[in-house]
Amino acid sequence: MTAPDPGSLLHPVAGCADLVPRHVVKARLLGQDLAVWRADDDFVNVWADRCIHRGVRLTVAANDGAELVCPYHGWRYSNRSGNCAYMPAHPSDAPPRRLRVPTFRSEERYGLIWSGGSPEAEPPRLPHLEGEDTLVLRALPVNAPPDLALQGLLEWPCQPVPAPGDGASISCDSAGPFAVAVTARTGGTEEAVVHFVQPVDGGRCVIRPVMRGAPAADRRLSILRHHARQLEELRTRLESSAGSPVAVRGPSTPLQPLRRPTATAVSGRAPQLEVCVARKWLTAEGIAAFELAPVSGQLPSFQPGAHVDVHLPNGLVRQYSLTNGPGLTSVYRLGVKLEPDSRGGSRCMHVSVHEGDRLQLSEPHNNFPLRRDAARTVLIAGGIGVTPLLAMAQTLQRQELAYELHYFAQSDDHLAFGEVLEPLSTGLVKHLGLSPDQTADEIKKITHDYGTASHLYVCGPGPMIEATRAIAADSGWPEDAVHFEYFKNESELHDASSFEVRLARTGQTLVVGPGVSLLDSLRDAGVDMPSSCEQGVCGTCMATVLEGELDHQDVFFNDSERAAGDRILTCVSRAGGHKIVLDL
Amino acid sequence: MYEPTDQASTATEYPAGSQISESDWHILAGFWHPVAFSSELADGPVAARLLDVDLVVYRTSEGAAVARDLCVHRGSKLSRGWISDDGACIVCPYHGLHYDRSGQCTWIPANDPDSAPPPKTMRLVSYLAAERYGIVWACMKPEPLRPLPEWPHLDEFGPEWLRIQIPKGTWAATASRHCENFNDIAHISWVHMKTFGNRARPVVPDYTLEQTDYGLYMALPYIEVERGFNDDLGEREREVFYRHHLTYPFATDLRVDYYEDDGESFFTSHFFDIGSPVSARTTDIYQVSLTNIPGATVEDYAEYQLVTNSEDIVIVESQRPENVPLNLAAETHIRADRLSVRYRRDLVEMFGLGSPEMIA
Amino acid sequence: MIRLYDYLLSVNCYKQRLLLSILDVPYERVDIDFYPGWEHKGAEFRKINPLGHIPVIDDDGYVLWDAHAILVYLACKYDPSGSWYPTSDPQRLGEVASWMLFAEGTTNTASAARLHVNLGYDFDLEACQAGAHRLFRVLDEHLWFREQQGQAWVASGESPTIADIALFGDVALSEDGGISRLDYPALRRWTERVQRLPGFIDMPGIFPVAKAPA
Ligand code: FES
Ligand code: FES
Ligand SMILES: [Fe+2]
């Protein structure tokens, strides 16, 4: 029998009990350093222990229950997806969706967390432990190669529990490629401990013993001590035969990061997610609420302010903001108002979409990013416009940042998502039944004292957004402090032009429309373009230009490279004229 | 200005077992790097290590000198030796062989005093040495790729300036990781919360960045928080203006102007920082400051700088991979990182560092 | 008022600042010119502490040196609850004394490695690191068993003691000295518990932790 490739299996990386709240466990498996943490929703994340920005270990990041915060530049990474959710140096930019920490499998079994690079493998099932309670004994890191430890365990018939009686017959058997089961029989009783060996790297391992059965409380501690002492003895032997009690570094098989749990294509607005309507209810007068659960895998994470495109059964595509706060990661929650003069979007959602139905969604997009560095954050919601602001308010509340949420609605019955509003009470102000003039007066009061580092977010009916912008401008709010949905984003990209691109190698010609990046257009046309920053900084998305004027909007090229005009960064730059030819 | 040593046959001197790739080693060996503070030479020769080569640094009456820390006679460590009474030679502690500044052996005490002088071929493996800014520099190739950093204000400064030399630190990090950290703006608001960082100002504006003949120039304003360690003044914000002059590959002059409340007048400090690549993942940090802030003292400044370093060191030592990825796709870059992107590109495009075919 | 002869980057001094802050006792810092003056080795300072090391306290004329001795004194004098140095409970007091002695070991290994790396002290780095790993193994096991008994601190009982304070700085700053805590999960959880104590203050090199869940 040839030994299986350890990279094709799952291995334990921590005990479930190691993952205390708001903590990040440091682990290492097959030469890959891991950061393992439990979010407040109980999801266990197994991530590469490396911030994708400048490589700082994420095991020194702070676990705030929903995000990990890197200590070097404060980037935040979301629970489950590992997506970068926020970059404090550029607070008004939504981080590109593909910025994510490599994530690995995470499964719980027998009181241990299991991980590995294989998408299919399962943690082992062992007859010794099935169908019983288990007790996780003390794990012991050993500075000796895993195979040496396995060999040592087979030759070390350690009495698993203290004195079950003389004459116990003890057997040690291999229980799979990385486990040794020890069974002790006396009379009618049988005790079993399985020692799982976590291959840390070529020269080190962790022995993780799990005992069958849950001993009585008074015996528990003595069993733990007894076993720890025995294992300690074994470790001393192993380390002296391994030659050095100091950590050795040997060859190691790197783990394969998991593929994205959802489709990788990020081209344009094609539907990429299949979801199922898990719950639909009337949350307020004329407003239906939906919870959409993934049909398989996980939902991509998103930042407050984001929306998804919903592909409706009647063929229409509608954009709806996500109301989710940071803790809610298993479903997307939307609110849809029935518009009396609906051309069929909201009507379809209200009438034709039922619980259990399947829908196609785009990945979340964010044109309405929330800064988390404001001295004062004012959220102004009109009616259904509350949806993205609910996501914002919950995020701010969780980070204990001050905010005011002004919710304008016709009446109490028109207030949506009461169960979400409830815990927000400190920051929430309701303005009910006001006329447009009264509303304007109220907004004047809210915005009258602009102070530096204040930010205003408004979402609601068009006229209300317009009125708010005008009032805020009058009260001295600078333009870049007033944010509203459907405004592209604040970075000064000029993407209003439309131009033609010819791909010299394939002969294709595409049209890049206003508001669409050259990068996205190329991807839509099936060109596999790499990208990273999507801000014109890193040069990853470069293409060679054969012909045509360029409108460089990156900060990557220096003046002479710019003048040469033979390369373009497709994520931000565009044609200067009507047409360019690329060497693609 | 530099007295070239007449034998610098170091092309085959790549040290066995070095973690630096051979191609990178030959490139880095062509730059000037610090090997000692001048003040360290007061009591005689000292040992240093540069790019995995053990060196002896000594000063004769002719000036500072740098050579392999190896007596050609029986391989003793010359750094354990001393300077001859006339100041002209370094003396090997084993058999007392004398070597002058150029590395030439001038006296073999065991020989009959009437015998011929030691042969011309009996000499140390010496390297280019220069002493400037209170630092002894060495270059292990006969033709330096770049001159020493040009920091005239550190050569000569008026009485209103105070010079502060920070104790040499050793970081378990590559010189480039250290250099990028020293020139990184976005981290200030996160890492330097005991010194000058301002958590309320994490946003990095679009700053000036220019390529220059020595490397890069970056300029931008910031609002620091002033925290007195040793007084009860509490914390207050103050406007500053940063000018970074990065001389390739690892030397920076950071000029900070501290504005007074009137927003016009200011005092200035310079923080000079040079990382010396001891080995692939070990870097000696040489820092000197100049300030014209009235009442500044050496003790306070040194402590401030040491506390600042200790905020950085844990972060930088934790970066993975330890080597700076010169392939830009290997890390993520945002607008705030323009300097580091340019730096990495230039290391590749100007000097050929990180050459893939040579990486073992 | 207490005067603390102090240096910001010294772990032993930090232990005093930490306890004083937790006990909310006002004090005055006397910053020792560690560099370039080596003031603590100078004749003037040796009049205060002939051993020439810091921290030293001067509590209205009562002068005491040795980091761990000062912790004992401060806890006895300024902790009205008596919980930080439990003189009324012989068993716990014994444990505290034993772990304080253990902390001498972590100071001489883990913190010595850090001094070598950061301030160029002439210590045998490898020996310090290996010694620290030996002690950390013992401490990690000890703390793991404490957790199994539903207890959080180095000495038994419900509340932390000066043994936690004496050990915390050496452990929390160990990675400065090149001593990884990969193999010590219980130790990593315990440092976070210390960091969440009311009145906790940090020093450069200690990473902030997230707040405990509400
Ligand atoms: S290295 Fe993590 S945020 Fe920059
Ligand atoms: S993806 Fe970074 S420059 Fe385009
Ligand atoms: Fe820094």
Side-chain angles (χ1 to χ4, degrees):
Chain A
M1 190 191 89
T2 57
D5 167 17
S8 68
L9 305 170
L10 297 192
H11 302 275
V13 293
C16 296
D18 290 333
L19 300 169
V20 295
R22 307 292 170 97
H23 180 73
V24 187
V25 167
K26 194 175 164 73
R28 192 170 155 88
L29 179 61
L30 296 170
Q32 166 76 53
D33 284 313
L34 299 171
V36 186
W37 62 286
R38 192 188 286 277
D40 287 0
D41 67 359
D42 265 343
F43 187 85
V44 174
N45 295 278
V46 181
W47 291 1
D49 187 11
R50 201 180 150 240
C51 177
I52 57 169
H53 179 218
R54 282 293 174 271
V56 165
R57 285 169 301 146
L58 288 175
T59 40
V60 295
N63 165 3
D64 84 351
E67 291 170 337
L68 282 199
V69 189
C70 175
Y72 198 4
H73 308 95
W75 288 22
R76 293 175 159 269
Y77 296 97
S78 303
N79 178 26
R80 291 174 188 257
S81 67
N83 272 104
C84 176
Y86 190 67
M87 302 179 307
H90 303 305
S92 50
D93 295 350
R97 276 164 292 145
R98 58 176 51 207
L99 291 191
R100 62 196 288 276
V101 179
T103 58
F104 297 92
R105 293 280 301 281
S106 114
E107 305 289 337
E108 302 197 25
R109 181 168 297 170
Y110 305 140
L112 301 175
I113 304 292
W114 299 76
S115 188
S118 154
E120 300 91 25
E122 287 300 318
R125 271 191 197 288
L126 297 178
H128 315 75
L129 300 173
E130 274 310 305
E132 299 258 4
D133 285 337
T134 54
L135 174 66
V136 176
L137 307 173
R138 177 163 163 77
L140 213 61
V142 183
N143 290 326
D147 46 338
L148 201 67
L150 286 160
Q151 194 58 40
L153 283 163
L154 281 172
E155 293 162 4
W156 182 253
C158 54
Q159 183 74 49
V161 295
D166 284 335
S169 76
I170 298 172
S171 61
C172 304
D173 305 291
S174 174
F178 284 91
V180 172
V182 180
T183 335
R185 292 181 196 83
T186 8
T189 62
E190 186 188 280
E191 307 272 8
V193 172
V194 179
H195 295 91
F196 295 103
V197 174
Q198 166 191 351
V200 170
D201 53 30
R204 291 185 293 172
C205 60
V206 181
I207 301 176
R208 296 190 177 276
V210 177
M211 189 182 125
R212 179 172 69 200
D218 56 334
R219 282 182 69 226
R220 196 174 153 274
L221 201 63
S222 64
I223 290 176
L224 292 175
R225 284 202 193 283
H226 169 85
H227 193 273
R229 246 190 322 272
Q230 294 208 327
L231 217 51
E232 178 74 58
E233 241 174 86
L234 175 64
R235 169 159 81 178
T236 310
R237 276 190 15 163
L238 289 172
E239 291 187 343
S240 60
S241 59
S244 157
V246 186
V248 216
R249 273 170 219 283
S252 55
T253 327
L255 283 176
Q256 283 310 305
L258 272 192
R259 285 188 303 258
R260 267 184 94 96
T262 53
T264 37
V266 272
S267 48
R269 292 286 170 108
Q272 288 138 4
L273 294 170
E274 187 169 28
V275 294
C276 152
V277 179
R279 190 175 156 219
K280 175 185 177 186
W281 72 104
L282 206 62
T283 177
E285 186 80 43
I287 299 179
F290 295 85
E291 282 185 355
L292 309 178
V295 168
S296 66
Q298 294 167 23
L299 293 170
S301 61
F302 58 91
Q303 301 118 31
H307 66 266
V308 287
D309 301 350
V310 180
H311 296 249
L312 298 169
N314 63 7
L316 289 175
V317 180
R318 285 288 175 270
Q319 302 184 341
Y320 296 108
S321 294
L322 301 177
T323 67
N324 298 42
L328 183 62
T329 46
S330 51
V331 292
Y332 287 156
R333 192 185 282 158
L334 324 173
V336 179
K337 182 175 178 209
L338 182 61
E339 302 290 352
D341 49 354
S342 165
R343 284 184 293 129
S346 66
R347 177 158 307 279
C348 177
M349 285 294 279
H350 271 253
V351 178
S352 320
V353 175
H354 304 287
E355 284 184 6
D357 287 358
R358 300 234 166 155
L359 289 173
Q360 306 285 324
L361 304 183
S362 71
E363 288 203 352
H365 295 254
N366 195 0
N367 300 333
F368 196 27
L370 169 71
R371 298 179 64 130
R372 305 193 200 177
D373 60 340
R376 177 179 175 216
T377 302
V378 181
L379 311 173
I380 297 184
I384 190 64
V386 76
T387 48
L389 303 182
L390 279 179
M392 294 183 179
Q394 291 175 83
T395 302
L396 294 166
Q397 170 120 341
R398 151 157 227 131
Q399 264 184 262
E400 296 179 22
L401 299 169
Y403 68 92
E404 306 151 31
L405 169 59
H406 297 275
Y407 190 175
F408 292 82
Q410 262 169 277
S411 75
D412 256 329
D413 293 343
H414 290 81
L415 294 173
F417 297 105
E419 68 286 0
V420 178
L421 294 174
E422 184 67 24
L424 296 180
S425 50
T426 45
L428 176 68
V429 188
K430 300 174 194 166
H431 306 268
L432 301 179
L434 303 184
S435 70
D437 285 347
Q438 290 169 313
T439 301
D441 283 344
E442 232 14 74
I443 293 175
K444 265 183 210 138
K445 276 188 222 150
I446 296 164
T447 59
H448 81 275
D449 53 344
Y450 170 74
T452 39
S454 297
H455 286 270
L456 177 71
Y457 299 78
V458 54
C459 187
M464 179 175 170
I465 295 181
E466 287 317 309
T468 308
R469 290 178 63 197
I471 294 168
D474 280 349
S475 326
W477 289 71
E479 235 173 73
D480 63 4
V482 181
H483 312 260
F484 46 96
E485 178 71 296
Y486 305 131
F487 182 83
K488 183 64 177 132
N489 91 31
E490 267 187 273
S491 63
E492 297 140 26
L493 273 189
H494 303 292
D495 59 356
S497 65
S498 131
F499 56 97
E500 221 177 86
V501 185
R502 198 161 69 79
L503 308 184
R505 297 191 197 197
T506 66
Q508 274 168 289
T509 299
L510 3 151
V511 177
V512 182
V516 180
S517 72
L518 173 53
L519 177 66
D520 278 343
S521 307
L522 290 169
R523 286 182 176 156
D524 275 344
V527 184
D528 184 20
M529 289 295 291
S531 75
S532 166
C533 70
E534 298 185 14
Q535 296 186 325
V537 182
C538 69
T540 311
C541 62
M542 191 169 344
T544 302
V545 180
L546 301 175
E547 251 172 66
E549 291 282 293
L550 302 180
D551 169 15
H552 287 292
Q553 299 195 33
D554 62 274
V555 292
F556 178 84
F557 292 130
N558 61 20
D559 292 343
S560 54
E561 290 165 333
R562 219 171 271 273
D566 55 353
R567 289 178 297 168
I568 186 168
L569 295 186
T570 56
C571 64
V572 291
S573 299
R574 309 177 75 80
H578 300 300
K579 185 174 174 183
I580 47 174
V581 182
L582 299 181
D583 185 15
L584 284 172
Chain B
M1 157 165 223
Y2 316 118
E3 215 169 348
T5 54
D6 44 11
Q7 190 194 40
S9 56
T10 53
T12 57
E13 292 293 281
Y14 175 64
S18 175
Q19 300 267 353
I20 306 170
S21 81
E22 188 162 355
S23 134
D24 286 350
W25 190 90
H26 285 294
I27 297 163
L28 292 172
F31 291 101
W32 287 104
H33 301 287
V35 286
F37 276 121
S38 299
S39 54
E40 293 177 71
L41 298 186
D43 302 327
V46 294
R49 181 174 255 247
L50 177 63
L51 297 169
D52 289 314
V53 178
D54 284 316
L55 302 175
V56 58
V57 186
Y58 60 102
R59 192 192 294 113
T60 70
S61 39
E62 308 268 281
V66 177
R68 293 277 299 275
D69 192 7
L70 208 60
C71 176
V72 294
H73 176 221
R74 284 293 175 271
S76 319
K77 278 198 171 304
L78 288 165
S79 54
R80 304 245 170 89
W82 58 88
I83 298 296
S84 60
D85 289 341
D86 62 2
C89 287
I90 182 171
V91 182
C92 176
Y94 197 10
H95 305 95
L97 271 70
H98 282 47
Y99 299 93
D100 68 10
R101 186 192 176 215
S102 75
Q104 173 65 45
C105 179
T106 56
W107 185 34
I108 305 170
N111 280 1
D112 181 334
D114 296 331
S115 62
K120 282 281 169 246
T121 49
M122 194 160 180
R123 50 186 311 120
L124 304 176
V125 180
S126 294
Y127 299 105
L128 295 181
E131 196 166 2
R132 199 168 168 196
Y133 312 128
I135 291 169
V136 180
W137 306 71
C139 173
M140 295 162 79
K141 294 280 179 185
E143 291 288 340
L145 283 170
R146 289 287 178 109
L148 285 175
E150 237 357 277
W151 296 329
H153 34 300
L154 189 53
D155 279 328
E156 220 170 317
F157 42 86
E160 70 280 17
W161 293 91
L162 178 71
R163 178 184 186 274
I164 305 106
Q165 182 171 312
I166 313 302
K168 188 158 73 183
T170 303
W171 291 25
T174 65
S176 279
R177 286 275 190 208
H178 169 82
C179 179
E180 288 197 351
N181 169 261
F182 194 83
N183 289 287
D184 181 282
I185 296 304
H187 84 292
I188 296 173
S189 301
W190 294 90
V191 172
H192 293 299
M193 295 311 294
K194 293 239 157 332
T195 45
F196 54 99
N198 190 341
R199 191 49 67 82
R201 305 276 175 180
V203 181
V204 177
D206 278 335
Y207 50 76
T208 303
L209 181 68
E210 288 162 17
Q211 284 175 297
T212 63
D213 51 355
Y214 54 82
L216 290 176
Y217 169 69
M218 168 170 76
L220 77 168
Y222 183 67
I223 298 184
E224 291 192 345
V225 166
E226 189 177 7
R227 296 180 182 84
F229 297 152
N230 305 323
D231 54 42
D232 297 322
L233 299 180
E235 300 187 352
R236 67 179 191 104
E237 289 197 333
R238 70 179 161 194
E239 280 178 44
V240 300
F241 197 86
Y242 295 141
R243 289 182 184 82
H244 290 244
H245 300 268
L246 165 53
T247 301
Y248 285 155
F250 309 128
T252 306
D253 164 14
L254 162 58
R255 168 181 164 166
V256 186
D257 290 342
Y258 299 94
Y259 281 86
E260 296 290 284
D261 291 338
D262 64 11
E264 300 221 334
S265 49
F266 57 85
F267 292 100
T268 297
S269 294
H270 286 269
F271 300 90
F272 301 93
D273 174 274
I274 314 122
S276 182
V278 171
S279 63
R281 290 166 191 180
T282 310
T283 305
D284 277 347
I285 309 300
Y286 290 80
Q287 290 176 329
V288 178
S289 297
L290 277 186
T291 186
N292 64 9
I293 297 177
T297 65
V298 172
E299 303 82 67
D300 285 354
Y301 243 77
E303 183 176 18
Y304 187 80
Q305 194 60 33
L306 285 171
V307 173
T308 306
N309 288 344
S310 69
E311 292 175 320
D312 283 318
I313 188 168
V314 274
I315 287 275
V316 175
E317 291 185 347
S318 89
Q319 286 178 276
R320 293 294 179 276
E322 287 96 332
N323 295 331
V324 168
L326 292 178
N327 170 355
L328 292 180
E331 285 185 334
T332 308
H333 313 283
I334 57 174
R335 290 201 302 281
D337 299 322
R338 277 160 60 218
L339 177 133
S340 101
V341 169
R342 191 74 248 175
Y343 176 69
R344 293 180 186 190
R345 289 186 68 193
D346 285 353
L347 293 185
V348 173
E349 292 167 16
M350 294 180 163
F351 308 114
L353 284 164
S355 162
E357 64 274 20
M358 299 302 289
I359 289 172
Chain C
M1 179 137 80
I2 302 174
R3 286 152 63 89
L4 172 66
Y5 293 86
D6 193 12
Y7 183 64
L8 278 177
L9 289 174
S10 150
V11 175
N12 270 339
C13 292
Y14 165 67
K15 294 174 185 179
Q16 317 307 322
R17 295 196 297 274
L18 179 55
L19 183 63
L20 287 163
S21 165
I22 288 176
L23 297 178
D24 198 17
V25 179
Y27 65 99
E28 180 191 334
R29 293 186 61 233
V30 184
D31 203 53
I32 290 301
D33 171 17
F34 211 79
Y35 176 88
W38 300 107
E39 188 180 340
H40 53 299
K41 301 289 178 204
E44 263 320 290
F45 189 78
R46 279 181 199 269
K47 284 184 200 153
I48 304 172
N49 177 3
L51 299 175
H53 60 218
I54 46 175
V56 174
I57 55 158
D58 178 340
D59 191 2
D60 280 333
Y62 172 73
V63 176
L64 184 64
W65 61 78
D66 187 282
H68 297 163
I70 301 173
L71 291 178
V72 170
Y73 169 78
L74 292 174
C76 281
K77 181 150 181 208
Y78 293 101
D79 169 28
S81 74
S83 74
W84 285 91
Y85 192 62
T87 45
S88 57
D89 182 336
Q91 292 195 351
R92 291 186 68 217
L93 191 62
E95 292 171 31
V96 171
S98 149
W99 287 108
M100 297 286 278
L101 218 57
F102 185 91
E104 293 294 332
T106 55
T107 301
N108 293 331
T109 54
S111 287
R114 177 176 165 276
L115 281 178
H116 172 87
V117 170
N118 284 8
L119 291 171
Y121 272 61
D122 188 16
F123 292 129
D124 178 344
L125 183 61
E126 266 172 39
C128 289
Q129 292 173 339
H133 279 297
R134 264 193 300 277
L135 296 174
F136 283 8
R137 275 187 171 180
V138 173
L139 189 55
D140 184 74
E141 176 172 8
H142 174 73
L143 286 165
W144 189 84
F145 276 104
R146 277 273 178 270
E147 288 179 345
Q148 295 302 316
Q149 296 164 78
Q151 297 192 343
W153 310 107
V154 168
S156 57
E158 295 306 310
S159 59
T161 63
I162 55 172
D164 295 285
I165 304 288
L167 287 162
F168 172 77
D170 298 335
V171 173
L173 289 154
S174 75
E175 308 219 338
D176 258 14
I179 301 151
S180 159
R181 294 197 290 280
L182 169 69
D183 286 344
Y184 315 112
L187 208 51
R188 294 182 81 249
R189 289 191 290 273
W190 165 79
T191 55
E192 289 200 1
R193 290 197 288 273
V194 175
Q195 286 183 256
R196 291 188 177 121
L197 285 171
F200 176 84
I201 50 161
D202 61 10
M203 73 173 272
I206 296 177
F207 293 104
V209 292
K211 282 215 201 91

